[in-house]
Amino acid sequence: MAGLTAKQQRFVEEYLVDLNATQAAIRAGYSVKTAEVIGHENLRKPKIQGFIDKALTERAERTEITADKVLRRWWDIATADPNDIIHLRRGCCRHCYGIGYQYQWRDEEEYQQAVGQAIKRAKEDETPAIPSAAGGYGFNRLLDPNESCPYCLGEGNPELHLADTRKLTGKARLLYAGIKQTQAGIEIKFQDQGKALENVARHLGMFIDKHELSGPGGGALNIVSSIPRPGGD
């Protein structure tokens, strides 16, 4: 890096790590108190910026990572639908589609198992309370609730559903950031969609953090104010 001081060369190397000018200045050996100012000053120096641009271009060519690809990934994360990974759904209750809104069984095997359990629970001197099969068979908990059901009043039963994370694709796969077992149950981790959208907005220049004014040649801007005299024009 001909033309740069040792600290400036180190600054370039450190800046390429995380593209943080302030932290790069600190790691390069500049004072912590002045690191923010020096870091941004270094980025405005043509020679330093030239080395940084060259290094970023070479990195992009090696890794085949482009700004367009990064922007597309941010946008896909920002616009992904969390419902593709986990959602609350409401299925019908046992009475929603039973004959006469009576309790409906999945099939005859399930009904016979319930009868057997009822007989087993009964005492020897008591008559078992045999469940009724008048509601018929064919219960499917995934069907939408029946709005006319007098038992659940059309609200059905809430059920938390988690997709098989091995089969996630597209935007959902990018949004998914992991899973862990806790004492309270399963915890799903997502990428920060708000941060991803913010990155997209910054890339498009929608945010302006500060305005810098300079005079000719990049020097200080001289501001001349004219204050009229009392009673003057």
Side-chain angles (χ1 to χ4, degrees):
M1 299 182 187
L4 301 185
T5 66
K7 273 191 175 181
Q8 289 174 336
Q9 291 182 29
R10 180 67 185 280
F11 172 81
V12 172
E13 294 169 354
E14 294 295 340
Y15 181 75
L16 292 171
V17 173
D18 54 12
L19 304 184
N20 187 313
T22 301
Q23 293 303 314
I26 294 174
R27 295 193 297 266
Y30 292 97
S31 169
V32 175
K33 295 182 179 179
T34 59
E36 182 176 0
V37 175
I38 291 177
H40 287 85
E41 285 180 349
N42 279 346
L43 291 181
R44 289 197 293 266
K45 294 179 180 178
K47 282 189 177 181
I48 293 180
Q49 190 60 58
F51 282 113
I52 291 175
D53 290 343
K54 183 174 183 295
L56 290 176
T57 299
E58 291 175 348
R59 176 189 292 178
E61 291 175 350
R62 288 195 307 272
T63 61
E64 297 184 352
I65 298 175
T66 65
D68 287 345
K69 288 182 179 180
V70 174
L71 180 60
R72 168 52 61 183
R73 189 178 186 89
W74 280 337
W75 180 246
D76 285 344
I77 292 174
T79 57
D81 186 357
N83 280 300
D84 290 336
I85 301 176
I86 186 170
H87 60 265
L88 180 70
R89 63 190 181 194
R90 287 186 172 274
C92 63
C93 77
R94 286 281 185 164
H95 298 271
C96 278
Y97 298 103
I99 300 173
Y101 297 113
Q102 297 188 72
Y103 193 95
Q104 185 182 40
W105 301 92
R106 185 176 62 249
D107 50 32
E108 185 174 0
E109 180 181 357
E110 183 188 38
Y111 172 69
Q112 291 299 334
Q113 289 176 352
V115 171
Q117 291 173 359
I119 295 175
K120 185 177 181 180
R121 287 194 301 266
K123 296 181 180 179
E124 294 181 358
D125 58 345
E126 293 182 359
T127 301
I130 303 299
S132 171
Y137 305 121
F139 172 71
N140 181 354
R141 64 184 178 82
L142 298 182
L143 294 178
D144 289 336
N146 185 345
E147 295 181 357
S148 302
C149 178
Y151 286 86
C152 71
L153 303 179
E155 293 191 359
N157 296 318
E159 179 183 85
L160 188 64
H161 177 73
L162 173 63
D164 188 335
T165 56
R166 299 172 302 171
K167 299 178 181 179
L168 295 177
T169 59
K171 294 182 179 182
R173 185 65 187 86
L174 297 178
L175 180 61
Y176 174 68
I179 188 172
K180 69 177 182 178
Q181 182 74 48
T182 68
Q183 291 183 345
I186 295 177
E187 179 181 325
I188 306 296
K189 296 182 179 180
F190 295 93
Q191 300 290 353
D192 190 333
Q193 290 188 283
K195 185 62 177 179
L197 187 59
E198 180 182 327
N199 287 338
V200 172
R202 290 190 183 282
H203 182 86
L204 298 177
M206 298 174 67
F207 295 155
I208 300 177
D209 294 328
K210 63 171 66 177
H211 296 279
E212 295 185 359
L213 301 177
S214 60
L221 180 65
N222 294 322
I223 300 177
V224 179
S225 299
S226 177
I227 303 177
R229 297 178 180 178
D233 295 333

